[in-house]
Structure formats: structure tokens, C-alpha cells
Amino acid sequence: MKIVLEHLTKKFISRNNKNEIVTAVNDFDFEIPDGKLIGLLGPSGCGKSTTLNLICGLEEPTSGKIYFGDLDVTGLPPENRGVGMVFQNYALYPHLTVRQNIRFPLENLKGADKLSKEVIEQRALEAAKLVQIDTLMDRKPNELSGGQQQRVAIARALVKTPGVLLLDEPLSNLDARLRLQTREQIRRIQKETGVTTIFVTHDQEEAMSISDYIIVMKAGVLQQMGEPQKVYNEPVNLFVAQFLGNPAINVFNGQIRDHGLYIGEDRISDFDAEDQEVYVGVRPEAFIPDEKGPFRCVFDRVETTGRDTSIVTHNENCISDEDIRAIVSADEKLNNENGIIRFSLKPAKVHVFSKEDEKVIHG
Ligand code: ATP
């Protein structure tokens, strides 16, 4: 089921100040293609949960429309939208077994939708198998691990075969290892069922690893939507560039002058754009130690974490962090003369942004 958001806006009266309006979702106007997994990303308070609540019908928009396929669902109550929801805190019924929890949404169907006991049991078992908890059907939630409980919550959301599945920070309560496993499971389940899924997280790595597309939001405004790698490689503005990537992109004060891109007095590359002050974003993987390279930094130390070797340096023009991180291959030779290390930079990993509006500038 494709989801179309048409000029969707949600305003609240601020919780802190009754005279202030908060625009939690500001003019969302885009389409989520059928059968895809979308990672909705952004810092705390940017409007991720409000977006999900609008789509499932828990919140009414201030203006705009929501379509599932060609059907306008804007005025439909949540129970008639065919949406499955999974929340951070699982929200299982503690006194019911896994089986009873999963069956619950089917047992409450009324009238023409009412199902026989046999069909309910069969559908519950199918959903349990899909999330691989069918051997735990008679346990109560407190006899399960966090990851298993979350899978029960997913099975319960899937048992009504929804057209749309919404997951609101579903992995936040899990430890790092379980998080990794459960996110792979979610990806597998989503592929097997083909259900259009929106996955909310503030963890960019999580979103990038399992999503077909990511949407990056800031203060209620969509910044960029696209395939994760494309958004990472071609950020439209400084915010997106800084939000994606770990270690984060290094940001420098720079200039475009004489058809060149400069950081301080170092001419990094040719650059054909109007002379101006700019921000230069350099991904950690952009740096190539090179004794003839144009970019000079003050060497501090080498750090090895797992597979990665980082060269940590300093440069007075860096504004993102005191430490500049360059990720290089472990066998790279370092020429560190008088404490200065020189780099050449991979052009595709260097992004230039306007100081005025922080939008990307192409050279
Ligand atoms: P988090 O990652 O912290 O869960 P979020 O991105 O999901 O945040 P939302 O919960 O959607 O953000 O909130 C977006 C903005 O709308 C915030 O400024 C929040 O304070 C405000 N907001 C959300 N719900 C309400 C409400 N019912 N009344 C007033 N303001 C609200």
C-alpha cells in the first residue's frame, strides 16, 4: 500500500507556553512507495512520533490529507485504517500468554469481520512463526527477553495483515546485541510480508542499515528523502551531512576564491563557484595521507578501534569538534613532519555548504 502525504501539517499549542504554537509536522508533501521500509530519522522533538500518529489516525492533522493507495483516510478512525503499530515499550498484556496476546486483535473483530476460533488460532500461529516465537506460545511476557517481547508485539501488529506497519523506536529498550539481531529480524519480516513499513528511530546507523529509503527531519520540516547511501553521499544541506555518519563529518570554515576551495591557506581543490565564505564538510573516509597533499593538519595521535584506524589531528579552521578524525587503512604509512601531517582529500567525500542558508554548493 503506498502512502501519500499531501501538504500535511500538525500544529500544537505549546506545552510550556499557551501563547506559542509548535509546528510538529510542517507541510509534508511526499509519497512512500508500496512495499518499502522507510526509516524516519531526526533529533528528539523533530516530529517523528507525530508523523506516525497522523498516519495511524491517533492525531488529526491541522491541514492536509493522507491517502493509503487512492483512498483518502484523513477522516477515518484508527481502527478502520488497517495500520499495525509497534511501540518502544512493547505494550503487551502482562496477564495474557504470548498466544493470547497475539490473538487479541482478532478476537475483538465484530460483525462480518468476526473470525472462527480455528482461523484465529491459525493466523496467530502464522504470525508467531513469522517472528520466530512459535515455540514460546504459552509463556507470559515476563518469561521472555526484551527482544522476544518485541517480536510478540510485532506478531500482534501483523496478525490483522495490515496494509501499513508503523514502528515507533521499537528497539530502544534492547541492549546493543539484541538491537542488532532484532533489526535484522524486522528487515526479514518486512521483506517476507511486503508490508509498507515506517520505522522511527533517532539512531542513524540503524535506519541506514535496514531501510530502502530514509527521511531526515528537522524541527517538523523534511530535509531529505532518498536511498540511505545516496543521502549520505549527496546531502542537500549541512544538517543532513552532520546527522548522518559515525564518526561524524568534520566541518571547517572555508572559502571559495580564484576558482579554488580553501581551508585556511590550503587550496584543497579546484572549485568553480562564486567567491564566498563556506562550510567545508570532510567525511572521515575522505582523508588520504599524502606527503604532497594540500591539506595540512597538526598530528595528535592514532587510535585503533576494531577494524578502523583513525588519525586524530587538529586544524584551527575546524568548527565541528576539537579532534578531526581521519579513517584510514591500518597499513597506511604516515609522514608526520614537525608534527604536521598532510592529506589529499577524495573529492566525492568533500561537501561544500553556503554560509547563508547551509545548502550544498556544487563546484
Ligand atoms: P522524540 O524522538 O523525542 O520522541 P519526536 O521526533 O518523536 O521526538 P514528537 O513527539 O513528534 O517528536 O514532537 C514534535 C514536537 O511537537 C515537539 O516539540 C513536542 O513537544 C510537540 N508535541 C508533540 N505532541 C504534543 C502535544 N500533544 N501537545 C503539545 N505539543 C506536542
Side-chain angles (χ1 to χ4, degrees), residues 14 27-28 42 102 108 112 129 140 159 175 191 198 220 233 353:
S14 165
D27 197 22
F28 271 18
I102 300 175
N108 281 328
K129 278 191 176 146
K140 297 261 175 73
V159 76
D175 68 38
K191 279 208 163 139
I198 306 179
N233 287 336
F353 305 97

Side-chain angles (χ1 to χ4, degrees), residues 12-13 15 22 24 43-50 59 169:
F12 291 110
I13 294 170
R15 287 176 177 133
V22 178
S44 183
C46 73
K48 302 181 296 293
S49 298
T50 304
E59 293 281 0
E169 301 259 6

Side-chain angles (χ1 to χ4, degrees), residues 5-10 25-28 54 61 63-66:
L5 306 183
E6 207 177 80
H7 297 295
L8 192 70
T9 295
K10 178 68 184 178
V25 170
N26 194 348
D27 197 22
F28 271 18
L54 289 167
S63 58
K65 294 213 173 289
I66 304 167

Side-chain angles (χ1 to χ4, degrees), residues 4 43 52 69 80 95 131 146 166 176 193 202 228 248 253 262 287 300 312 322 324 353:
V4 181
L52 287 201
N80 295 348
H95 58 289
V131 300
L166 305 178
T193 55
H202 56 258
N253 280 320
Y262 285 82
F287 294 84
D300 184 337
V312 181
E322 203 178 309
I324 300 165
F353 305 97

Side-chain angles (χ1 to χ4, degrees), residues 286-356:
F287 294 84
I288 306 168
D290 174 358
E291 59 192 55
K292 296 204 171 60
F295 188 39
R296 293 169 297 175
C297 293
V298 178
F299 177 80
D300 184 337
R301 61 191 187 274
V302 173
E303 282 178 0
T304 308
T305 41
R307 279 172 303 136
D308 291 335
T309 299
S310 303
I311 308 174
V312 181
T313 64
H314 305 294
N315 180 300
E316 60 186 5
N317 298 293
C318 185
I319 55 168
S320 50
D321 194 337
E322 203 178 309
D323 288 342
I324 300 165
R325 266 168 214 286
I327 295 184
V328 298
S329 92
D331 39 52
E332 195 85 58
K333 266 212 248 91
L334 299 185
N335 279 297
N336 153 20
E337 224 173 85
N338 307 324
I340 301 290
I341 182 164
R342 283 178 169 270
F343 296 100
S344 49
L345 302 178
K346 295 178 195 163
K349 298 286 179 186
V350 176
H351 306 285
V352 181
F353 305 97
S354 154
K355 279 227 162 157
E356 252 168 49

Side-chain angles (χ1 to χ4, degrees), residues 90-134:
Y90 327 135
L92 299 176
Y93 299 109
H95 58 289
L96 299 184
T97 62
V98 168
R99 171 179 280 107
Q100 289 165 329
N101 264 288
I102 300 175
R103 288 170 61 131
F104 193 83
L106 299 182
E107 279 169 350
N108 281 328
L109 294 175
K110 302 247 157 28
D113 293 334
K114 199 168 163 52
L115 299 173
S116 71
K117 281 216 157 57
E118 293 73 36
V119 173
I120 290 177
E121 181 55 24
Q122 188 199 339
R123 298 245 313 249
L125 195 61
E126 276 168 17
K129 278 191 176 146
L130 192 64
V131 300
Q132 297 171 344
I133 42 143
D134 48 307

